[in-house]
Amino acid sequence: MDVTTWYLEQTSPAGLRPGRTPAIPAQVVRAEVPSPEFSRFLYTAVGGDWQWTNRLPWTWKQWRDWLDRPGVETWVAWVRGTPAGYAELVAQDGGTVEITNFGLLPYAIGQGLGGWLLGEATARAWDLAERWPGREATRRVWVHTCSLDGPAALANYKARGFQIYDEKLNAPGDEDEGETPGPWPGSGPRD
């Protein structure tokens, strides 16, 4: 199966179109303490059904080294004290911030949280330099998604004001298209 990857960007905070406030009580909070355990939990719980496998072999130290860099932030959506989704932001040179990971836990999909969380996370990407003295102000926020991600991913990015600047078709075998590891086998409301 061919896999299409889309690269999207915003080049001005004025381009951000926030998502609708969810009907259920939710909040977005920055996880300020670098926690390999928590970040790995989020990565597997959100990405397990969508081919997120690159970081699965990482050691605790690799996770810690990744998270403990200036300009790396994890923003978590919470519903009644329970994590519902997250976004990981990574500041790069030249005033660029990448949204390296974004998504919802299976139970939270379809509750109106995705657009809202993406809007909040993108706003935090635009003001990231305010929390990191010495960082250049954000001039560009970018993200990539692919046809293996959730079916609403690309539409959500576009609805928040991201524009496609590149698209690549990967030949079979270039992407891991095998069985998804899932958060754990048989989890989630779809089962």
Side-chain angles (χ1 to χ4, degrees), residues 13 94-97 124-129 135-141:
T96 296
V97 176
R124 298 300 62 84
W126 281 112
D127 64 21
L128 186 139
R135 287 225 68 91
E136 187 176 344
T138 303
R139 295 192 319 238
R140 177 177 177 257
V141 178

Side-chain angles (χ1 to χ4, degrees), residues 63-116:
W63 277 99
R64 177 67 182 205
D65 291 347
W66 174 261
L67 297 167
D68 202 21
R69 297 176 299 142
V72 174
E73 297 182 345
T74 302
W75 290 87
V76 183
W78 297 87
V79 173
R80 297 190 334 247
T82 305
Y86 84 114
E88 182 182 80
L89 309 178
V90 176
Q92 300 171 336
D93 292 338
T96 296
V97 176
E98 180 184 3
I99 301 174
T100 55
N101 290 302
F102 171 81
L104 299 174
L105 277 76
Y107 88 88
I109 294 171
Q111 297 189 43
L113 294 166
W116 167 76

